[in-house]
Amino acid sequence: MAHPVLDLTGRRNRGEAAFGGLARFAGILVLIVLSLIALVMTTRAWPALTSGNFFTTKRWSVPDEVFGSLAFVFGTIVSATVAICLAVPISIGIALFVTQVSPGWLKKPIVYSVDLLATVPSVVFGFWGISVLAPKIMGFYESVHDLTSGIPGLRSLFGQPNGRSMFTAGIILAIMITPIVSSLSREVISTCPQGDREGALALGATRWEMIRAVVIPHSSGGLVGAVMLGLGRAMGETIAATLVIGSSAQITANLFGAGNSMPAVIASEWGEALGQHRSALTALAVTLFALTIIVNVLATSIVSRSRRRAQGTI
Amino acid sequence: MLLGGHLTSISSLLERTNPTGVILRSYRRYLSMTTALILGVSTVGCGGGDSTDSNSAATTVGGAATTAAKTAELAAATLNGSGATFPKAFYEEAVAAFKAKNKAVTINYGGGGSGKGRTDLASQVVDWAGSDAIVKEADKTSYKGGAFLYFPTVVAPINVVFNAPGVDKLNLSPTLIAKIFQVEITKWNDPAILAENAGAKLPDSPIVVAHRSDGSGTTENFTKFLDSAVGSKGDGTWKLKSGSTVEWASSTQAAEGNGGLSKFVKDTVGSISYVDFSDAKVAGLKAASIKNQAGKYIAPSLEGASAAADGAEIAADLTYFAGWAKGDAAYPIAAQTWILVYKSQTDKAKGKAIKGFLEYMYGDGQKLAKEIDFAPLSPSLLAKAQAQLAMIEIPA
Amino acid sequence: MTSTMTTGNSTIDLGATGGWRSIKSRLMIGLLGTAFVIVMIPLVLVLATVIMRGGKVMSWSFLTSDIAASERRTSGGIGPAIVGTLLTTGIATAIAAPLGVLGAIYLAEYAGTSLLGRVVRFMSSVMTGVPSIVMGLFVYLLFTLRFKQNAFGGALALACLMLPIIIRSTEEMLRLVPTTLREASYGLGTSKARTIISIVLPAALPGVVSGVLLAVARAAGETAPLLFTIGAAKGLNLQPFSGANTALSAQIFGNASSPVEAAQARGWGAALTLVALAFSFTIFARLVSARFSSQR
C-alpha cells in the first residue's frame, strides 16, 4: 500500500523524482523482458508455427523437414501427469501433517527437511536418475508389468518396461515438485480459521474427521492452485527429463515406454539446428512458454483468490 | 659474437620504435641470417680443417637458421572447436599434446556431434569443426566465412555393439542389421539371426534398438554403409536412406553422443546400437562381426579399417567414403572423419595456430592416434593432406 | 436421534461407534505421517550417493585442477568449473539484485493499487514459472549469436531467471516493515526516496539479503540457461566477455552420460561441490532471515 508523501518542505525534489522513476523503470523491466522473450521467440518460430502441420502431426523428421510437435507435447503432459499423481498425495499429506497433526517442536525440522529437497539442483537429480534410479528400478517395473499383464486396461498402461521412460522421468519430477506444492499447500491450509476447526473438535469429531470436514473443503481451491503450480514446474523441467526420459519420439499408452518432452528435445537438438529445424525448435519453446504461462496464470489467480477469501477481502 | 649481438639489439630497437614493422621484420630476419653466416664463416675459418668441427659449424649455421624460425613458439591464440564425438577422445589427447609444445595456444573442443560442428562453423561460433560427414551442397551458402577445406585426420571402425546376456559373439550381415534397426526383427532368438549364428544360445527377449539423438556423422556413415550394401543400390532391405539423422521407428530409443550411446547399451539389457571402436572398447561393450563384400565376417579392428580406407576413392577436396569397401580383410563399416576450417583466415594468430595444430596432426599426431585406438591415414592420403595445408590463407 | 455434524458439503455421523472412528482417525493420521517418511527416502538416497561417490574423488587437487583433457583420463578436476559457476552467478547477481530490489521498491512503495502495479506484480509471478531453457534460448538468440559464447551470456540468462524471484521475495520483506516506521520518518520531514533508502531498506535488509541468497543458490544450480551460452572450456577463464567458460552444473550434465568410470566419478565430485555450495547459501540465508525475525 503506497503512503501519501508528506513533504513538509513543499519543494519538488529532483532526486526524489529520479529515484521514483528509476524504481518504476526497474518494475517495468519485467514487462519489457517478458514481452521481448515472447516477441523474439515468436518471430523466429513463425515459419514453423505456420507450416500447417506443426500441431497436427507427431512426425518429426529432420532430413525431410517435417516437424510436428504432438509426440513431444504428449511426452511432456504424460511425464508431468505421472509427477502430479505421485507428488500431490504426498505433498498435501505432509502439509496436513505439519499444520494439523504434528507437535510444535516437530514442525520446523519437517519443513526444513522438505525444503532441503528444493535446494538440491535439478541436474543432480537427473544424474542420480540416470546412474542409480533408471538401472535399479527395472526390477520394480517388471513386477508391475507381470502383475498387470492379466488386466486388459492396465496391461497396455504398464507395458514393456524400460529404465529410461516417461514413468522414470515422472518419478524424478515428482521429487522435484514436492517441496513447492507442499509449502504452498501449507500456506493455504494454515489460513483455515481456528474457530471452525475447534468447533468441529468440540462437537466430538476425531482429528481426521475434522480435517476431512473442515480443513479440506476450506482449502480445496487453494490446493488446486498449488497443484497447478507444481504442474507448471514439472512441464518446464529440462535437464532431469532429458537424461532419463528415453529420447524417443513416440506416442504410446505404455507409461514404462520411452518418450520425449518439449524441453528435452530442445536441449538435445538445438546445438546443431539450422534454418527450418531451428525454427521448429523455437516453436516448441514458444508452445512450452505459452503452456506454462497459462497454467501459472490460472494457478496464481486461484491461489490469490483463495488467500483473499480467507482474509475476508473478497 | 659481439658483432652479432650488437646487430640484433639494433634491429630489435628499430622494430620497436618504427611503426612499419613489416619492413623491419624482414630486415631483422635478414640481419639474423647475416649474423649466422658471419659467425659460421668465421668459425670455419678460425677452426681449421677439423671435419667434425666444420660439420658441427655447418649444422650450427643450419640449426641457427631453422631454430630461428622454429623456436618462435606460436603466438597466443584461443581456438574453439566443436563437432564429431567419433574422434573426440583422440582430438582431446592431440590438443593436450599440442598445448604442451605451444603453451600460449589454447584449443577447446566441445564435441556435440558432427551436425553441431558444421552448424557452429557455418555461423562462425567456432574456429574449427570436426565432422564425419561432408556438407551438403545446398548448405554451403550458409557458411558465413566463405569456402572451407576438409582435412582428413583418422579412420576407425564403427562397432555394432550389443548387450545380450549370455551372448559373446554375434555374426551379422548387412541385411540382418537393416532388419534389426528397422524393428522388423524384434527378438534376439529370431530364426533369421539364428541362421547366421549356428549353435549360439540367443535369449528369448526383445531387442531394444538405440540410435543417436543428435545430428551425427557416425549415424551418417552407418546409414550410408547400410544404404550402399542393402539399400536402393542393393536388394532394397534398408529403406531409411542415409543422413546425420534419419527417421528411425518411433519405438527406438536414443542417446546423445558416442559416449552417451555406449553408456545406454552398457546400462540396458537387450540393447543394440552403433558406436566408434575406441568408445566401445573403453565401455567394455561386445561387438558383432560384420559380413563384408567379399562374404567374410570381419570383427572390428584398426587393421580392418585401414584396409577399407586404403582402397577408397579420394576426391580432389579430400573427401571420401571408407564404408562398404572391397577386399577380403576390409571391415565393412569403416568410417572417416575430417577437420573443417575456413580457407581464408581472418586472424593471423588463429590462422597460424590452426595450421600448426594440423601440422602436428599429420606429424606426431598420427602416431598418437594408434594409442587412442584410431587408425592413421594411408601414406598417400597423408601426403595429399599435408599438401593441402598450403591452401590455408593467413593474413600477413 | 442421530447427531450429525454438517459443514459445507460433508456430513459426519457423530453417533457412530466411537471405537472405529478413532481407529480410523489414527490410521489416517499415521498415513499422513508416512507421507513425510516417503519423501525423505529419495532425499536420503540422493544425498547418500552424492556424498559417498563424490567423497571418493574429493581432494584439494580435485577442486583446483583443470578439467581433464579427455574424459578417459583418471586425472583432472573441476577448478575452472567452480570459478565459472562463481563468475556467472556473481555477475548475474550483480545485474539482477539491484534491479530486483528497485523493482520491489516500486511495487511496495510507489505502485499501490494502480493498474501498472498490479500488472507488474502479476507478470513477476508469471515470470518465475518460465522454464529456464526458454531463458537460455532467448539469450542465445539475442546475445550469443552476435558476441559468441562467454560467461557474460550465461550470466544474462541467469539474471533473467533471478530477477522475478528477487522482486517477489523483496516485495514481501518490504511489506513486513511496519508502517509506523515510515510515518515517523515522514513526520520528521524526510522525503520519500530518503525514507526508503535510509529507513525502510535497512529495516528489511536481512530479509532482502536472505531472499537474494536463495535466488543465488537456485541460479548456481541451473544448467539449461548455460547450455548454449557459455560453451565448454577446459581451462580457467576469468574473462567474462571473451572465450568459452564452464560451470559445475554443465560439468555434471556432461559427465552424466559418459560410460567411463573416471568421468562418472568426477561428475559426482562436481555434484558434491555444487550441493555443498547451494546448501551453504541456503543455510546462510536462513541464518540471516532468522536474525531478521528475531529483530522484529
Side-chain angles (χ1 to χ4, degrees):
Chain A
M1 213 174 69
H3 295 276
V5 177
L6 294 177
D7 185 359
L8 296 181
T9 61
R11 278 185 279 119
R12 275 205 145 255
N13 189 342
R14 279 202 22 227
E16 177 74 35
F19 185 75
L22 192 64
R24 186 182 296 122
F25 169 70
I28 297 179
L29 200 63
V30 166
L31 299 179
I32 295 177
V33 173
L34 257 182
S35 343
L36 213 62
I37 294 178
L39 192 70
V40 167
M41 313 242 343
T42 314
T43 37
R44 302 295 165 114
W46 199 248
L49 287 171
T50 50
S51 68
N53 55 3
F54 184 74
F55 293 107
T56 50
T57 177
K58 74 172 179 82
R59 197 178 156 216
W60 182 270
S61 163
V62 178
D64 291 342
E65 296 215 333
V66 175
F67 299 110
S69 63
L70 283 185
F72 308 121
V73 175
F74 178 78
T76 306
I77 292 180
V78 168
S79 53
T81 310
V82 169
I84 291 290
C85 292
L86 293 173
V88 164
I90 296 186
S91 313
I92 297 187
I94 296 175
L96 283 172
F97 185 79
V98 168
T99 50
Q100 311 298 324
V101 176
S102 90
W105 55 269
L106 199 53
K107 287 191 209 237
K108 263 217 174 118
I110 294 185
V111 168
Y112 279 1
S113 313
V114 176
D115 284 349
L116 216 60
L117 215 53
T119 322
V120 179
S122 57
V123 63
V124 175
F125 279 125
F127 191 17
W128 179 77
I130 194 180
S131 307
V132 177
L133 187 68
K136 297 241 165 92
I137 206 166
M138 275 298 274
F140 170 68
Y141 285 174
E142 268 156 15
S143 337
V144 173
H145 175 60
D146 294 334
L147 264 166
T148 57
S149 54
I151 311 163
L154 291 180
R155 184 173 44 204
S156 44
L157 212 55
F158 296 110
Q160 188 61 36
N162 291 290
R164 298 189 199 181
S165 57
M166 294 187 281
F167 198 85
T168 313
I171 296 177
I172 302 281
L173 291 175
I175 299 174
M176 289 172 58
I177 64 175
T178 301
I180 307 168
V181 179
S182 175
S183 95
L184 260 163
S185 307
R186 245 189 306 123
E187 229 187 86
V188 167
I189 292 174
S190 57
T191 61
C192 183
Q194 185 79 336
D196 286 4
R197 293 169 49 219
E198 282 176 355
L201 289 173
L203 283 171
T206 60
R207 248 254 150 116
W208 170 247
E209 284 165 352
M210 181 264 287
I211 293 175
R212 209 191 79 203
V214 178
V215 178
I216 292 183
H218 178 271
S219 351
S220 58
L223 288 178
V224 167
V227 168
M228 289 184 72
L229 267 163
L231 180 70
R233 175 80 205 274
M235 290 198 303
E237 175 49 46
T238 313
I239 296 301
T242 312
L243 288 171
V244 299
I245 202 168
S247 304
S248 162
Q250 65 170 339
I251 295 187
T252 170
N254 180 11
L255 291 177
F256 293 154
N260 215 342
S261 73
M262 289 186 278
V265 74
I266 297 172
S268 298
E269 298 189 9
W270 181 263
E272 73 221 18
L274 273 178
Q276 189 72 356
H277 188 191
R278 184 178 274 186
S279 172
L281 290 172
T282 319
L284 279 178
V286 169
T287 315
L288 182 66
F289 185 52
L291 257 174
T292 45
I293 287 204
I294 293 173
V295 169
N296 278 323
V297 163
L298 273 171
T300 316
S301 53
I302 292 177
V303 170
S304 70
R305 207 142 183 268
S306 101
R307 208 184 266 156
R308 292 208 308 274
R309 190 184 287 132
Q311 287 168 353
T313 54
I314 205 173
Chain B
M1 221 44 103
L2 231 65
L3 183 64
H6 209 53
L7 280 170
T8 359
S9 66
I10 290 175
S11 72
S12 53
L13 180 68
L14 281 169
E15 192 178 294
R16 270 203 308 273
T17 52
N18 193 311
T20 51
V22 179
I23 301 168
L24 281 162
R25 242 172 270 134
S26 44
Y27 189 50
R28 186 195 184 170
R29 211 171 286 142
Y30 165 72
L31 271 180
S32 63
M33 282 210 275
T34 327
T35 318
L37 207 62
I38 295 172
L39 286 176
V41 165
S42 55
T43 347
V44 168
C46 296
D50 196 314
S51 57
T52 45
D53 251 3
S54 59
N55 267 346
S56 59
T59 44
T60 324
V61 173
T66 40
T67 43
K70 240 192 191 167
T71 46
E73 254 188 29
L74 288 170
T78 305
L79 293 178
N80 287 328
S82 69
T85 56
F86 183 82
K88 183 163 182 247
F90 168 57
Y91 286 174
E92 288 177 330
E93 291 292 342
V95 160
F98 184 70
K99 180 148 181 130
K101 293 209 181 104
N102 295 278
K103 297 192 179 50
V105 175
T106 306
I107 307 184
N108 293 317
Y109 187 62
S114 301
K116 180 170 203 306
R118 294 193 297 265
T119 303
D120 282 348
L121 188 68
S123 4
Q124 288 182 301
V125 167
V126 293
D127 307 300
W128 61 286
S131 175
D132 311 325
I134 57 180
V135 177
K136 291 200 194 78
E137 273 306 317
D139 289 341
K140 282 191 179 167
T141 49
S142 59
Y143 281 71
K144 289 194 190 146
F148 54 86
L149 298 165
Y150 291 98
F151 284 98
T153 50
V154 285
V155 181
I158 297 180
N159 288 19
V160 176
V161 293
F162 60 93
N163 178 348
V167 184
D168 284 324
K169 284 189 188 317
L170 199 62
N171 286 338
L172 294 173
S173 64
T175 315
L176 217 50
I177 299 176
K179 287 195 175 159
I180 292 175
F181 277 85
Q182 284 177 149
V183 198
E184 288 162 21
I185 292 180
T186 52
K187 282 207 157 172
W188 282 104
N189 59 354
D190 190 283
I193 305 182
L194 284 167
E196 292 190 24
N197 291 275
K201 281 202 179 61
L202 298 172
D204 178 28
S205 52
I207 303 180
V208 181
V209 174
H211 55 84
R212 293 281 292 275
S213 59
D214 46 331
S216 155
T218 316
T219 303
E220 187 153 347
N221 287 322
F222 180 65
T223 50
K224 202 167 172 184
F225 147 74
L226 283 170
D227 201 39
S228 311
V230 290
S232 43
K233 300 176 201 134
D235 62 12
T237 317
W238 178 252
K239 300 178 190 68
L240 300 181
K241 295 177 274 187
S242 94
S244 52
T245 50
V246 296
E247 217 172 326
W248 302 97
S250 56
S251 59
T252 55
Q253 297 202 35
E256 203 166 309
N258 271 294
L261 205 48
S262 30
K263 181 170 165 58
F264 181 88
V265 175
K266 196 174 172 183
D267 287 346
T268 314
V269 170
S271 55
I272 190 170
S273 191
Y274 53 91
V275 297
D276 67 285
F277 180 77
S278 186
D279 279 319
K281 192 170 166 192
V282 157
L285 298 173
K286 301 189 202 91
S289 297
I290 319 290
K291 196 173 183 181
N292 66 5
Q293 262 200 63
K296 293 199 165 28
Y297 287 98
I298 309 286
S301 68
L302 293 183
E303 296 75 32
S306 296
D310 282 345
E313 198 182 299
I314 303 181
D317 59 359
L318 302 190
T319 57
Y320 65 106
F321 178 58
W324 197 234
K326 295 188 170 68
D328 280 2
Y331 179 70
I333 328 184
Q336 69 294 324
T337 187
W338 299 274
I339 286 182
L340 274 56
V341 292
Y342 280 114
K343 185 166 166 193
S344 51
Q345 293 290 315
T346 49
D347 181 298
K348 181 178 179 186
K350 281 193 182 184
K352 287 203 161 189
I354 289 180
K355 196 165 178 185
F357 180 55
L358 287 169
E359 276 164 355
Y360 167 80
M361 269 295 185
Y362 295 137
D364 289 337
Q366 293 287 299
K367 295 187 201 94
L368 181 64
K370 266 215 147 98
E371 292 170 36
I372 323 284
D373 290 316
F374 286 89
L377 301 172
S378 66
S380 57
L381 184 54
L382 185 62
K384 288 188 188 158
Q386 279 168 320
Q388 195 183 241
L389 280 173
M391 285 178 71
I392 302 180
E393 296 156 4
I394 304 175
Chain C
M1 179 184 82
T2 49
S3 57
T4 55
M5 175 179 81
T6 309
T7 55
N9 300 337
S10 95
T11 303
I12 299 176
D13 180 10
L14 294 174
T17 337
W20 163 238
R21 280 170 51 216
S22 106
I23 292 173
K24 185 176 170 194
S25 177
R26 293 246 165 86
L27 263 166
M28 296 309 289
I29 300 295
L31 219 65
L32 291 180
T34 55
F36 175 64
V37 174
I38 293 177
V39 92
M40 283 295 109
I41 297 175
L43 179 65
V44 167
L45 286 177
V46 172
L47 286 182
T49 316
V50 169
I51 293 173
M52 283 195 315
R53 295 204 196 178
K56 259 189 247 177
V57 81
M58 192 54 65
S59 67
W60 181 250
S61 80
F62 178 73
L63 290 173
T64 50
S65 304
D66 275 359
I67 311 282
S70 157
E71 70 176 11
R72 297 182 188 178
R73 291 194 178 184
T74 44
S75 61
I78 51 169
I82 297 179
V83 169
T85 298
L86 293 175
L87 194 65
T88 46
T89 319
I91 297 178
T93 313
I95 299 174
L99 288 173
V101 169
L102 275 172
I105 288 175
Y106 168 72
L107 284 177
E109 309 288 328
Y110 288 94
T113 46
S114 70
L115 179 65
L116 185 63
R118 278 183 287 151
V119 169
V120 171
R121 192 171 294 124
F122 195 61
M123 285 303 163
S124 315
S125 282
V126 164
M127 199 169 162
T128 57
V130 173
S132 49
I133 184 125
V134 172
M135 301 296 191
L137 289 195
F138 171 62
V139 171
Y140 179 84
L141 289 171
L142 278 192
F143 181 84
T144 311
L145 278 181
R146 201 166 301 139
F147 299 104
K148 308 274 171 81
Q149 290 171 331
N150 51 43
F152 189 72
L156 272 180
L158 290 180
C160 287
L161 211 66
M162 291 170 70
L163 186 67
I165 302 176
I166 296 181
I167 289 184
R168 289 195 62 220
S169 74
T170 310
E171 195 203 341
E172 301 268 322
M173 294 301 145
L174 289 174
R175 278 170 189 286
L176 286 175
V177 175
T179 351
T180 48
L181 226 59
R182 288 189 189 83
E183 286 173 352
S185 171
Y186 294 143
L188 289 171
T190 326
S191 71
K192 183 164 185 175
R194 181 62 73 80
T195 307
I196 296 172
I197 298 175
S198 323
I199 307 290
V200 179
L201 209 51
L205 199 62
V208 171
V209 167
S210 153
V212 171
L213 285 173
L214 285 173
V216 171
R218 165 95 193 266
E222 284 287 339
T223 323
L226 302 177
L227 273 180
F228 310 112
T229 47
I230 60 169
K234 290 215 155 71
L236 198 64
N237 183 1
L238 288 164
Q239 307 253 17
F241 292 99
S242 80
N245 218 315
T246 184
L248 284 170
S249 47
Q251 284 299 314
I252 300 172
F253 186 55
N255 281 327
S257 325
S258 169
V260 179
E261 271 306 317
Q264 289 260 319
R266 283 193 294 270
W268 287 113
L272 180 59
T273 315
L274 187 60
V275 166
L277 202 71
F279 272 21
S280 352
F281 272 117
T282 312
I283 292 174
F284 191 41
R286 284 275 152 74
L287 287 173
V288 168
S289 83
R291 198 168 151 265
F292 176 50
S293 38
S294 70
Q295 263 182 354
R296 297 176 52 241

